[in-house]
Amino acid sequence: MEQNLLLIFISCGIHFVTGLYTSVGPSKNYYYVREPKTFADAQQYCRENHIDLATVEDWTDMEQLLALENFMSTTPAWIGLRETAPGPWRWSLDDPEFYRVGETEYRNWGQGEPNNGVNEYCSVMDSNGKLRDTPCTERRSFICYERDLSGQNYSKYIFINEQKSWRGAQTYCRQYHSDLVSVRNEEENRQIQQLIPAGKVTYIGLFKVLFAWSDNSKSSFRNWASGQPDGSGECVVQQNRLWDDVMCSGVRPFLCYDRTVFRQIVRLKVESDQNVNDPNIKVAILEEIKQKLISQGISMQANLQWKQQVNGDVFQRDEKTREL
């Protein structure tokens, strides 16, 4: 990425200071191992030689995995996903930048809900705007969300009057729109409620996590084949671009991953009448820098750190500039 010199104005002032920061960003690498192993043995191999069994966080990861030269996508291969005890409720649209503080936890449950009935791991909203938990296999109508990519800040909700399972509804929304709808606050709850016919319930994007990644990643990205997972096993294989749950004791080739870390040092000039070596101010400056870099294409996972001088300070006065 081409890096431009950043100039940050904290407030109008007369003192000029300069400092350095280092940006650290991970790049994911996948490896296909042909030697058949059980899930547990494959996991151990990946942890000893790389980081872990493959975690797939989005479609970019998926395409990178499928592009491996020696990977035969028709042959089932372990990835790092495994069934676990029912976990927390999460939204299908898995992007931290999409939610403000507290919005991922917003829930307008109906009275006595969720009642945690048998296999009730998905959610619906009724025509009164209340949420219920429900089995994911029930065929229902659903509401998709069309994400604003134009910068116009609109919200578009689309009621789909077709009967699908929750997973089928998720697949449909991701193919033709953005995802199943998230309900982030009271106002969105009201808007989405208005789309639901009186006396009906419809799927939304809230679901309970049933599979977890071997490396403890929180990603909710899933790429199940039609009708999967069907309960035929606790571990997951990648085959023909899609995922299937199978018995963990089978021996199969597998996919590992690790990350390449790159570093870049950038010189920064800051104009301020405050003590920019104050820890709180340094945090504020670093956050502003990160947001600017993200807008230029750097990964949101990048780790920015200040480069300290011998005396522990980050910034030093530019006396020549000050005299001017």
Side-chain angles (χ1 to χ4, degrees):
M1 178 189 69
E2 181 179 351
Q3 177 62 58
N4 297 320
L5 182 66
L6 298 176
L7 183 60
I8 312 294
F9 293 98
I10 300 177
S11 63
C12 296
I14 60 173
H15 304 307
F16 289 85
V17 291
T18 60
L20 295 174
Y21 73 86
T22 302
S23 64
V24 183
S27 175
K28 190 176 291 183
N29 308 302
Y30 289 112
Y31 305 90
Y32 179 58
V33 182
R34 291 181 179 274
E35 182 182 356
K37 293 180 181 291
T38 65
F39 182 92
D41 289 343
Q43 182 185 58
Q44 180 179 351
Y45 176 96
C46 290
R47 288 177 173 179
E48 290 176 351
N49 294 278
H50 302 286
I51 291 180
D52 213 317
L53 280 164
T55 293
V56 186
E57 298 179 282
D58 51 33
W59 287 111
T60 300
D61 282 357
M62 194 74 218
E63 293 302 326
Q64 183 180 344
L65 184 152
L66 293 171
L68 289 174
E69 290 184 3
N70 63 343
F71 175 43
M72 298 294 294
S73 62
T74 56
T75 302
W78 297 122
I79 59 173
L81 198 61
R82 181 170 184 170
E83 187 174 4
T84 184
W89 290 96
R90 291 187 188 164
W91 294 106
S92 179
L93 204 168
D94 182 29
D95 179 359
E97 299 297 317
F98 183 64
Y99 304 91
R100 294 192 293 265
V101 175
E103 288 189 334
T104 56
E105 293 79 32
Y106 177 82
R107 309 282 188 267
N108 189 28
W109 293 112
Q111 186 175 2
E113 298 288 347
N115 63 12
N116 300 312
V118 177
N119 295 326
E120 292 189 340
Y121 303 136
C122 292
S123 68
V124 292
M125 180 185 287
D126 63 27
S127 56
N128 295 316
K130 298 296 184 180
L131 275 56
R132 310 177 193 173
D133 56 349
T134 186
C136 304
T137 54
E138 295 287 338
R139 298 181 67 82
R140 305 180 184 277
S141 59
F142 52 99
I143 298 177
C144 298
Y145 173 71
E146 186 73 48
R147 195 167 189 182
D148 172 25
L149 299 178
S150 66
Q152 299 301 311
N153 256 344
Y154 71 85
S155 294
K156 185 176 181 182
Y157 312 117
I158 304 98
F159 176 79
I160 308 296
N161 193 23
E162 296 183 23
Q163 303 297 302
K164 294 183 180 294
S165 67
W166 188 91
R167 188 68 63 185
Q170 181 192 51
T171 300
Y172 179 98
C173 290
R174 288 179 172 178
Q175 181 176 356
Y176 296 105
H177 302 286
S178 297
D179 212 319
L180 274 167
V181 70
S182 297
V183 188
R184 297 177 292 181
N185 51 58
E186 185 176 350
E187 174 58 23
E188 288 189 351
N189 199 109
R190 184 189 62 79
Q191 293 179 29
I192 295 164
Q193 172 191 350
Q194 293 175 349
L195 299 177
I196 303 173
K200 301 294 185 180
V201 297
T202 186
Y203 279 131
I204 59 174
L206 192 64
F207 74 107
K208 187 171 283 190
V209 176
L210 298 179
F211 285 80
W213 292 104
S214 178
D215 67 352
N216 295 317
S217 166
K218 302 303 182 184
S219 172
S220 63
F221 177 83
R222 302 291 186 265
N223 191 36
W224 297 111
S226 178
Q228 301 296 332
D230 61 4
S232 57
E234 296 180 346
C235 295
V236 178
V237 292
Q238 158 79 38
Q239 183 179 18
N240 294 326
R241 303 179 64 91
L242 299 169
W243 300 353
D244 187 7
D245 57 332
V246 298
M247 297 293 292
C248 304
S249 57
V251 290
R252 308 175 187 279
F254 53 97
L255 293 145
C256 304
Y257 90 98
D258 63 21
R259 295 183 184 274
T260 300
V261 176
F262 62 88
R263 294 177 180 271
Q264 182 178 25
I265 297 178
V266 179
R267 183 174 297 275
L268 173 72
K269 177 176 286 188
V270 178
E271 180 183 3
S272 175
D273 59 359
Q274 303 180 49
N275 176 15
V276 289
N277 282 307
D278 179 273
N280 292 330
I281 296 179
K282 287 191 293 186
V283 168
I285 296 174
L286 207 60
E287 179 60 28
E288 185 171 348
I289 293 171
K290 183 171 183 178
Q291 294 307 314
K292 288 181 178 292
L293 293 178
I294 288 173
S295 69
Q296 295 179 24
I298 196 172
S299 168
M300 290 186 293
Q301 306 302 319
N303 177 28
L304 272 61
Q305 301 173 342
W306 290 117
K307 183 177 177 65
Q308 293 187 346
Q309 303 172 51
V310 176
N311 63 1
D313 287 346
V314 169
F315 294 100
Q316 61 183 351
R317 293 181 184 275
D318 187 339
E319 298 296 342
K320 292 182 181 180
T321 306
R322 186 182 180 187
E323 292 173 0
L324 294 175

